[in-house]
C-alpha cells in the first residue's frame, strides 16, 4: 500500500474517532438564580431539575436553565393572587433542537430562549407542573 493511501486512511480514522468522541460528550447545562427574594434556593433547584428532565428528550439539547425573580414576578403573583395557588415558580429554559428526531410540537434546528416551565404549589404543599411554553 502506498504511503499516501495509508495517510488518507489514517486521517479518515482519526476524523471519525474525533466525531464519535465529540457526539457522545455530555453538554454542561448552565444553571443560574437571579434576584431571588421569595423562594428557597433548594425549591428553585428542584424545579430547575424537573424542567430539564421534562424537556430533555431525543432531539432536544438543553443548554441553560435559570430563575429570575424580576422576570418571573408578574406570572408568579398572577397565579397566586388570581388563581389562589399557595406559591408559584417560573424557570426559563434555553435549548436547541437537532435536524433529526425532532419531538412533536417543535421545529428542527431551532434555538429556544425564554421557554417557561411553570410550577405551582397546591393546597397540600406539593409542587406540580402548571404549564410549559412561551408566556
Amino acid at each position: 500500500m502506498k504511503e499516501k493511501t495509508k495517510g488518507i486512511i489514517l486521517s479518515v480514522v482519526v476524523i471519525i474517532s474525533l466525531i464519535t468522541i465529540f457526539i457522545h460528550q455530555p453538554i454542561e447545562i448552565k444553571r443560574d438564580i437571579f434576584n431571588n427574594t421569595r423562594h428557597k434556593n433548594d425549591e428553585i433547584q428542584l424545579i430547575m431539575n424537573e424542567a430539564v428532565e421534562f424537556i430533555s428528550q431525543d432531539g432536544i439539547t438543553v443548554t441553560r436553565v435559570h430563575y429570575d425573580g424580576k422576570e418571573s414576578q408578574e406570572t408568579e403573583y398572577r397565579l397566586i393572587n388570581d388563581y389562589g395557588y399557595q406559591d408559584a415558580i417560573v424557570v426559563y429554559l434555553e435549548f436547541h433542537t437537532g435536524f433529526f428526531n425532532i419531538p412533536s410540537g417543535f421545529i428542527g434546528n431551532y434555538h429556544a430562549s425564554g421557554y417557561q416551565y411553570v410550577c405551582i404549589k397546591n393546597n397540600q404543599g406539593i409542587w406540580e407542573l402548571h404549564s410549559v411554553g412561551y408566556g
Side-chain angles (χ1 to χ4, degrees), residues 30-56:
K30 188 174 180 181
R31 297 166 188 267
D32 295 304
I33 298 174
F34 303 109
N35 306 308
N36 178 26
T37 58
R38 296 189 57 237
H39 305 289
K40 296 177 184 173
N41 281 350
D42 61 335
E43 287 184 314
I44 295 172
Q45 290 290 343
L46 172 74
I47 303 303
M48 287 176 150
N49 292 340
E50 289 178 6
V52 169
E53 187 177 324
F54 177 85
I55 201 72
S56 293

Side-chain angles (χ1 to χ4, degrees), residues 10 19-20 29 40 46 56 63 65-66 71 97 99 125 128:
L10 180 60
I19 289 171
T20 303
I29 299 170
K40 296 177 184 173
L46 172 74
S56 293
T63 54
V65 59
H66 77 275
E71 191 175 4
T97 60
F99 290 104
E128 57 185 41

Side-chain angles (χ1 to χ4, degrees), residues 65-89:
V65 59
H66 77 275
Y67 173 83
D68 186 333
K70 288 181 182 177
E71 191 175 4
S72 302
Q73 184 177 10
E74 184 180 328
T75 301
E76 291 176 354
Y77 284 147
R78 182 175 43 81
L79 289 168
I80 294 165
N81 296 330
D82 294 351
Y83 296 98
Y85 295 116
Q86 254 187 339
D87 203 354
I89 293 179

Side-chain angles (χ1 to χ4, degrees), residues 3 7 13 22 24 29 34-35 57 61 69-70 81 90 114 119 123 131:
E3 290 299 318
V13 168
F22 177 73
H24 295 302
I29 299 170
F34 303 109
N35 306 308
Q57 51 188 300
T61 304
K70 288 181 182 177
N81 296 330
V90 180
C119 283
N123 292 331
S131 60

